[in-house]
Amino acid sequence: MDVERSLRLIAGTFIVASLVLSRVHSEYWLLFTGFVGLNLFQSFFTNWCPMMWLLKKIGGKGCCRTC
């Protein structure tokens, strides 16, 4: 699986998990949902995402040959 698809899977999992935890445990888990959303928003403008950097460091492959 390439880095971009992995990123989408991780972000979606974090968001769904934090929404479930906010219903079951504490509403403060919604702050984590907001953090993930803000991180995706800033990565749109800066073209840099900490999770993509981490995935590439551990050996993830880009979707194209130039990545």
Side-chain angles (χ1 to χ4, degrees):
M1 187 179 305
D2 60 39
V3 172
E4 290 78 13
R5 291 190 68 188
S6 298
L7 176 70
R8 290 185 196 112
L9 175 66
I10 292 168
T13 302
F14 282 173
I15 289 171
V16 170
S18 65
L19 289 175
V20 169
L21 286 168
S22 74
R23 295 287 291 166
V24 174
H25 188 264
S26 170
E27 290 184 4
Y28 286 112
W29 280 101
L30 293 174
L31 295 173
F32 186 65
T33 304
F35 171 76
V36 173
L38 285 173
N39 188 31
L40 291 170
F41 188 70
Q42 73 81 26
S43 71
F44 169 77
F45 290 107
T46 63
N47 201 27
W48 181 78
C49 176
M51 184 58 75
M52 286 185 78
W53 175 81
L54 180 67
L55 289 170
K56 287 179 182 176
K57 279 285 195 189
I58 63 173
K61 297 178 180 141
C63 64
C64 58
R65 292 179 186 200
T66 61
C67 296

